[in-house]
Amino acid sequence: MNGISLLSPRLKALVLLCAAGLLMLPLVVPGQYVMQLINLGLISLIVVVGLNFITGYCGQINFAQAAFWGIGAYVTAILTLKGLSFWAALPVAAVVTGLCSLLLGIPTLRLRAYYLAMATIAFGEIVQLVLVHWEPVTGGTSGLRNVPGISVAGHLLVGNVQHYYFLLVWCALAMWLSLRVRSSHLGRAMIALRDSEIAAEVMGIDTVRMKMLALVLSSTYAGIAGGLYVGYVNYVSPDLFSNAQAVLFFVMLVVGGVGSAVGAVVGTIVLTALPEALRFLKEWYLVLYGIGIILMICFLPDGLVSMSRRFGLGGARSAAPSPHARAGTTLPTPLPEATPATAFAHAPAGPHAAAPASAVPGKAAAATNVLVVDGVTQRFGGLVALDGVSLHVARGTVHAVIGPNGSGKTTFLNVLSGAYTAQAGSVLLDGVELIGRRPNAIAKAGLSRTFQNIRVYNSLTVLENVMVGAACHAGMRLAGVLAGSARQRQQERALRDSARDALEFVGIADFADRPAGSLAYAQQRLLEIARALATDPKVLLLDEPAAGMNPQEASRLIAIIAALRDRGITVIFVEHNVRLVMEISDCITVFDFGKKIAEGTPQQIQIDPQVIEAYLGRPRKSRVRESVNA
């Protein structure tokens, strides 16, 4: 699928109309100054579209974009002044800029929020200091003059109009490639990372590598824009590549709409044209800027591009969280029935799929253990959340973990999935040690999960959410995405089919094209299960899957879990719904204060005195007698 297919018919018509207008623009623009301003705006647009990869898609605050722009400009200028052609110098500038972003990204992309912003600001200052003080190479504050221009097929571009059409082609290419990335598994992974980094990790996404890829793409765009800039103006100096310019690029993206390539266009146009339009106000235009930003925060928090939804133009499929997606919200429409028979028929089968544990539904006959937990201890300072926990989980069974609040159940699931790293013990999944592995590696090994607090990707549709999980075992292959290769198109079709199968399995396929944030609470629970199932797990961890469900929805959940077991998938779940636990579980493990106090069948657990004491407490008479004896 290419990026343009994400647009509605009305928006496609608008794009064609805009394209025709852009081709005719030089005929109506008054004067060379305005034409030059438009050309500089086109160069800025390439920088901002690149910034959208790391800041818009991945949600990482980056103020180094002006520095990358400057690096690309200086590398192109230096090489062309030494006799290299522009077409040879430009890819070198792109590569050098990408390598510089790697040097920045390796230590900083493990940082989050404001720390990353501060690191990129420092990088921008360092680059500008180098450009100013490395005079033998950069020319210092005087810069580099008489840089050779751009030749196309032996023709030297002259005048603003020729450069305009040349830059317009580059902008179109930048937008097209950006939309291709957005509509691929890489784009969905970036947006999933932005919406919930831990939920992206447990779906098999290497978040550090994904952020690194986004930063390299972002810097490469800026480096190419720098080369185009110096080829257009034939001069470069350090003044333009300051942190103030980096902030301006950032504001262009925010004003237009973070996460939207169209928003990058809108923001660049507005903040390129507005200063000129308000020049007559002199210093008062800053006051107007401030008022405009306040109004945007109040009425257009998603940027100017969000106005398109008010006029029904549509756009790239994304959505903000819906006010209906809250605990306890009534389902807008009844959930389709999901019985073991229908669910089994549509369940995706992958390399981790196993044969049913038993010919009799609901009974597990597998004798081998798929998961072996031995002596796991998890401490948080002086608090021991898990104290030497050991248990074996038989393949193809439903294994419940219960206990009072604070007994360590969710901590146990976090250790299994890699969200926490235990200080002691071992967790073996089919003989593979999981402790010490990152969550994405554990997901690829065959263990997936849902969360106690729902973590769907609200900026993606229901189908795209599940496609993120389905891409668990897909490679990054950026070249194939950008080229739109046959292999890439085939992979997209396979991911889409697998995701639809998972949605049919849990009974919410009818909502595939809805924004995930618009689903009701119980439907989002099922969406998380479908997304985890799409990773093709050997073991599926469910953290309180029935929370917020009414009895009818809980009954459907029981049918889904039974169908998973019949499919041969091992289910480990934490749950407070006792009826559900007793009805579906093959084995139950009971925790109390971080220790395993009992384990057995539902019938054994119901009469176990330690379990009764943990849930109900000791009888009052016993306590009084003990007090008297003391």
Side-chain angles (χ1 to χ4, degrees):
M1 173 187 287
N2 54 36
I4 201 70
S5 64
L6 294 175
L7 306 180
S8 68
R10 291 181 63 185
L11 192 52
K12 288 179 184 178
L14 181 60
V15 168
L16 293 176
L17 183 62
C18 289
L22 289 171
L23 292 175
M24 302 295 292
L25 186 62
L27 301 179
V28 297
V29 168
Q32 291 299 311
Y33 175 75
V34 176
M35 202 68 223
Q36 183 182 27
L37 186 65
I38 291 173
N39 287 343
L40 294 176
L42 291 176
I43 293 171
S44 296
L45 174 59
I46 297 174
V47 180
V48 177
V49 171
L51 180 62
N52 196 44
F53 286 112
I54 184 67
T55 298
Y57 293 165
C58 288
Q60 308 299 305
I61 301 175
N62 171 32
F63 290 122
Q65 197 72 343
F68 295 135
W69 186 34
I71 292 171
Y74 268 91
V75 170
T76 304
I78 291 168
L79 293 178
T80 53
L81 284 171
K82 291 184 177 295
L84 201 65
S85 72
F86 170 82
W87 294 105
L90 190 64
V92 174
V95 170
V96 170
T97 309
L99 291 175
C100 289
S101 70
L102 285 176
L103 293 177
L104 172 65
I106 289 171
T108 61
L109 285 180
R110 299 180 186 275
L111 304 176
R112 297 185 183 181
Y114 305 109
Y115 297 105
L116 179 60
M118 289 188 289
T120 54
I121 289 173
F123 178 80
E125 288 291 341
I126 292 170
V127 168
Q128 193 167 39
L129 287 172
V130 170
L131 296 179
V132 169
H133 294 287
W134 197 10
E135 292 189 20
V137 176
T138 65
T141 55
S142 299
L144 301 174
R145 301 176 183 274
N146 301 319
V147 178
I150 303 171
S151 294
V152 179
H155 172 72
L156 180 65
L157 298 181
V158 293
N160 289 318
V161 174
Q162 292 185 12
H163 280 95
Y164 167 78
Y165 287 113
F166 178 74
L167 294 173
L168 189 62
V169 171
W170 278 96
C171 285
L173 178 63
M175 286 288 294
W176 181 54
L177 294 178
S178 174
L179 290 173
R180 275 209 160 170
V181 172
R182 166 59 185 88
S183 62
S184 72
H185 69 285
L186 297 180
R188 290 188 294 270
M190 292 177 186
I191 295 173
L193 185 160
R194 180 191 68 194
D195 286 357
S196 176
E197 188 163 341
I198 183 59
E201 277 273 354
V202 299
M203 290 299 107
I205 298 172
D206 188 334
T207 55
V208 175
R209 286 186 64 196
M210 193 58 63
K211 286 186 283 188
M212 188 71 71
L213 174 64
L215 182 61
V216 170
L217 280 171
S218 179
S219 65
T220 302
Y221 267 57
I224 291 173
L228 296 173
Y229 171 80
V230 77
Y232 171 54
V233 302
N234 309 123
Y235 168 73
V236 62
S237 68
D239 300 338
L240 190 59
F241 312 115
S242 64
N243 277 328
Q245 184 64 39
V247 172
L248 180 58
F249 288 144
F250 187 85
V251 172
M252 285 178 176
L253 183 61
V254 172
V255 168
V258 174
S260 168
V262 177
V265 176
V266 174
T268 303
I269 292 174
V270 169
L271 292 185
T272 299
L274 202 57
E276 297 299 321
L278 301 178
R279 186 181 292 275
F280 69 95
L281 294 175
K282 298 181 180 179
E283 68 272 9
W284 288 99
Y285 83 91
L286 293 175
V287 177
L288 192 59
Y289 267 178
I291 295 173
I293 290 174
I294 292 172
L295 292 175
M296 277 199 58
I297 292 173
C298 294
F299 300 105
L300 293 172
D302 295 326
L304 293 173
V305 74
S306 63
M307 293 179 64
S308 65
R309 290 196 290 269
R310 298 189 178 185
F311 297 100
L313 295 175
R317 289 177 303 206
S318 64
S322 168
H324 299 292
R326 295 192 296 264
T329 303
T330 304
L331 295 178
T333 55
L335 284 172
E337 292 292 340
T339 63
T342 59
F344 178 81
H346 293 286
H352 292 159
S358 173
V360 181
K363 302 297 181 181
T368 60
N369 295 317
V370 65
L371 192 73
V372 177
V373 181
D374 184 21
V376 167
T377 298
Q378 177 69 51
R379 300 184 183 88
F380 300 102
L383 174 66
V384 182
L386 295 175
D387 190 0
V389 172
S390 298
L391 60 89
H392 294 179
V393 179
R395 190 183 309 277
T397 62
V398 176
H399 195 119
V401 177
I402 65 173
N405 288 330
S407 60
K409 304 182 298 297
T410 295
T411 300
F412 178 66
L413 296 192
N414 287 337
V415 168
L416 295 185
S417 61
Y420 297 155
T421 301
Q423 286 81 18
S426 172
V427 177
L428 298 178
L429 176 64
D430 272 342
V432 177
E433 179 61 62
L434 299 186
I435 290 182
R437 290 174 175 249
R438 290 179 53 198
N440 67 289
I442 292 176
K444 293 179 186 298
L447 185 146
S448 192
R449 69 167 295 180
T450 66
F451 293 88
Q452 183 178 9
N453 298 318
I454 292 175
R455 296 177 183 267
V456 300
Y457 313 129
N458 290 313
S459 300
L460 298 175
T461 65
V462 170
L463 182 65
E464 287 175 325
N465 263 260
V466 185
M467 289 176 72
V468 171
C472 176
H473 305 284
M476 297 183 74
R477 291 193 290 273
L478 175 62
V481 170
L482 297 179
S485 65
R487 182 179 181 183
Q488 165 66 17
R489 294 194 299 271
Q490 182 180 7
Q491 182 187 66
E492 281 294 304
R493 287 193 295 270
L495 293 178
R496 188 170 298 274
D497 291 343
S498 180
R500 288 195 179 276
D501 286 345
L503 289 173
E504 289 183 15
F505 184 93
V506 300
I508 57 173
D510 292 344
F511 309 131
D513 295 324
R514 291 190 185 183
S518 70
L519 295 186
Y521 188 82
Q523 292 170 315
Q524 291 189 23
R525 285 279 180 197
L526 297 179
L527 173 57
E528 275 202 319
I529 294 175
R531 187 179 64 191
L533 178 61
T535 66
D536 183 31
K538 300 175 184 177
V539 176
L540 181 60
L541 309 181
L542 305 178
D543 196 351
E544 298 191 23
M549 291 186 175
N550 60 38
Q552 179 188 11
E553 293 158 357
S555 296
R556 292 174 184 156
L557 177 64
I558 291 174
I560 290 171
I561 294 175
L564 289 169
R565 174 176 55 195
D566 293 342
R567 184 66 170 170
I569 296 175
T570 304
V571 178
I572 302 174
F573 74 106
V574 168
E575 186 52 65
H576 289 291
N577 186 326
V578 176
R579 183 184 72 85
L580 187 152
V581 171
M582 295 301 170
E583 184 171 344
I584 194 63
S585 301
D586 297 305
C587 183
I588 301 174
T589 299
V590 185
F591 285 4
D592 192 24
F593 293 107
K595 293 184 177 181
K596 184 177 78 171
I597 62 170
E599 188 171 79
T601 65
Q603 294 75 19
Q604 293 170 331
I605 293 300
Q606 290 182 71
I607 61 174
D608 190 292
Q610 291 189 78
V611 177
I612 296 172
E613 180 181 322
Y615 273 96
L616 302 179
R618 295 182 180 182
R620 186 180 299 275
K621 291 182 180 180
S622 176
R623 291 180 181 176
V624 172
R625 189 178 297 111
E626 287 181 1
S627 176
V628 172
N629 292 336

